[in-house]
Amino acid sequence: KGKGDNFNFFRVDRQSSLGCSIKGTGLQLFIACDSFSVKNAASECPNDYIFVLAERSKIKDFVKPVRSSAFSNFAKINTADEKFVLVHEFGHIFSDLDDEYVDEGYYGGEDFSDSINCKASCEGFDGVDGIECEEGCSVGKLYRSSKDSIMRDYYKSKEFMVWNTKIIEEKIGEYED
């Protein structure tokens, strides 16, 4: 709320030299980039977070969908996806928010003991008003703080909701000092 002035965005146009391509098989396609080349191009501007936009047509993406993703301070965005995918992926890299949808096949073997938004029980959200504790957060045995949020389904919700907003505001506060 009113924190837009805390962020700067710079654009570097270097599509051919980033070493990005679509990889994977079947319906498990993703954007792969040469991290060194991307970080080298991004070094032309001050940065904490890097986004690579992979331009895809909606028709081509409907036939062979490509998954957007984020890791560490680096997000790869499929431009044919819903526009709020960028906000969702930013939630990962800026605030360490985990996905709030359940995907046991993808996340089944991961340890979420240090998750900031997926908790072992509803008590993990104590002290914050407006929590609607719901079962299922990355894996079925964990709990999320709201029925829907951008981190669960960015087609349905355009908000981070109470708990995730609190986490994001705390992170922004780290930059204000």
Side-chain angles (χ1 to χ4, degrees):
K1 298 176 184 172
K3 302 288 184 177
D5 291 340
N6 293 43
F7 296 91
N8 293 312
F9 292 88
F10 300 91
R11 179 179 168 157
V12 177
D13 286 321
R14 287 235 183 126
Q15 297 169 356
S16 61
S17 64
L18 297 180
C20 295
S21 61
I22 305 300
K23 301 254 179 164
T25 59
L27 294 177
Q28 296 297 320
L29 299 176
F30 59 93
I31 305 161
C33 297
D34 175 41
S35 294
F36 178 78
S37 296
V38 170
K39 289 177 182 180
N40 188 40
S43 71
E44 294 177 12
C45 306
N47 71 78
D48 293 319
Y49 306 97
I50 301 167
F51 289 84
V52 170
L53 305 178
E55 194 168 336
R56 305 254 310 158
S57 76
K58 293 215 182 263
I59 294 171
K60 186 175 185 178
D61 203 62
F62 179 76
V63 175
K64 285 192 163 196
V66 173
R67 184 177 183 145
S68 295
S69 63
F71 180 74
S72 186
N73 71 331
F74 183 22
K76 295 169 272 185
I77 307 297
N78 173 1
T79 61
D81 207 342
E82 213 297 324
K83 67 181 178 179
F84 274 88
V85 71
L86 190 138
V87 178
H88 171 93
E89 299 301 342
F90 189 65
H92 289 309
I93 64 176
F94 182 71
S95 300
D96 290 326
L97 296 173
D98 288 313
D99 288 318
E100 294 181 350
Y101 54 83
V102 175
D103 188 347
E104 295 283 351
Y106 189 76
Y107 294 116
E110 290 196 33
D111 175 21
F112 286 90
S113 59
D114 64 346
S115 177
I116 201 160
N117 63 316
C118 294
K119 303 294 183 180
S121 71
C122 292
E123 286 79 37
F125 303 111
D126 283 350
V128 177
D129 293 334
I131 299 297
E132 319 167 65
C133 189
E134 298 279 335
E135 192 172 15
C137 192
S138 290
V139 293
K141 66 183 179 182
L142 298 178
Y143 294 84
R144 62 187 185 278
S145 62
S146 64
K147 181 176 171 121
D148 286 308
S149 79
I150 286 175
M151 298 312 293
R152 179 168 170 77
D153 186 344
Y154 48 79
Y155 289 100
K156 280 186 183 177
S157 180
K158 307 305 182 210
E159 297 180 39
F160 282 101
M161 306 309 278
V162 176
W163 181 264
N164 295 341
T165 297
K166 173 186 160 308
I167 301 305
I168 292 166
E169 287 175 350
E170 288 171 0
K171 184 71 174 183
I172 291 171
E174 293 174 17
Y175 284 86
E176 291 177 335
D177 295 333

